[in-house]
Amino acid sequence: MDPRQTAPSTARNRDPILRVLQRVLPADARVLEIASGAGEHAVHFARAMPGQTWQPSDPDAAARASIAAWIAHEGLANVLPPRAIDVRAAIWDAEPEYDAIVAINMIHISPWEATLGLLAGAGRHVRDAGVLYTYGPYKREGRHTAPSNQEFDAWLKDRDPAFGVRDVDKVAQAARAQGLALRETVEMPANNLSLVFVRNRRA
């Protein structure tokens, strides 16, 4: 059986996300992707940005099998084998420093502690002036940006009370504690946002 998984949302959002990444990441960046899921984003971005080195990761073994299968299928030399990284761990199974960390559709489908772990890890593993990029639905000033996001938030909390659409200001405040400044908020299709944080160890 083919272990490759697919997500319908990936085909819709990968190109808008790619356009943001191409603008905010160096052409030769070393990128760590957190919660890579099926691995479709990793191979799409690595194919489009061949000068970058992409390190996918996921705590789930089935997801890592899918990622590895996508890498093998695409034959991309600039995508590394997936790592098992749980952002809540005090020490990640990761290299000391990356030019960027990317987390797509993770923050709302995980407990708040996972967001805090992501931000703390970015504070440890992103180089000075490097980028943390996140994508997904967010509230702004405590309010949902669309009725569909409010419905999605209710569905998430019904699935797990620890899940939910987070507020941009709350995430940015937690990021500042780790030396990460919110540089840019980008409107994306389907009422999603891209948040671009920059690491400043002198802050």
Side-chain angles (χ1 to χ4, degrees), residues 11 14 16 19 66 74 82 90 104 111 132 144 149-150 171 177 191 203:
R14 62 187 182 183
R19 287 192 287 272
S66 176
E74 298 295 324
I104 297 168
L132 168 65
H144 288 287
N149 280 8
Q150 185 171 3
V171 176
N191 302 307

Side-chain angles (χ1 to χ4, degrees), residues 41-110:
H41 281 121
V43 296
H44 184 71
F45 300 151
R47 186 188 309 110
M49 298 180 284
Q52 296 182 356
T53 301
W54 202 270
Q55 174 64 73
S57 73
D58 203 281
D60 181 72
R64 294 195 302 276
S66 176
I67 297 165
W70 274 110
I71 294 170
H73 181 267
E74 298 295 324
L76 295 168
N78 61 327
V79 188
L80 302 176
R83 287 180 167 165
I85 295 178
D86 185 335
V87 293
R88 295 169 294 183
I91 299 175
W92 292 0
D93 177 20
E95 296 296 329
E97 193 166 75
Y98 288 89
D99 297 299
I101 291 177
V102 170
I104 297 168
N105 284 332
M106 180 208 118
I107 288 179
H108 59 283
I109 314 180
S110 60

Side-chain angles (χ1 to χ4, degrees), residues 163-187:
F163 293 0
V165 176
R166 314 299 179 188
D167 189 84
V168 171
D169 291 340
K170 186 176 180 180
V171 176
Q173 181 180 14
R176 284 194 295 272
Q178 304 297 336
L180 299 157
L182 180 57
R183 184 179 73 185
E184 189 176 356
T185 301
V186 185
E187 300 278 350

Side-chain angles (χ1 to χ4, degrees), residues 132-174:
L132 168 65
Y133 170 89
T134 72
Y135 167 91
Y138 288 93
K139 296 178 185 177
R140 304 189 85 167
E141 298 180 347
R143 295 187 295 272
H144 288 287
T145 60
S148 59
N149 280 8
Q150 185 171 3
E151 294 168 5
F152 182 48
D153 189 33
W155 179 84
L156 287 168
K157 290 175 179 174
D158 185 60
R159 178 181 173 187
D160 188 324
F163 293 0
V165 176
R166 314 299 179 188
D167 189 84
V168 171
D169 291 340
K170 186 176 180 180
V171 176
Q173 181 180 14

Side-chain angles (χ1 to χ4, degrees), residues 87-89 92 112-122 124:
V87 293
R88 295 169 294 183
W92 292 0
W112 176 243
E113 291 74 19
T115 297
L116 296 178
L118 170 69
L119 299 173
R124 293 191 302 269

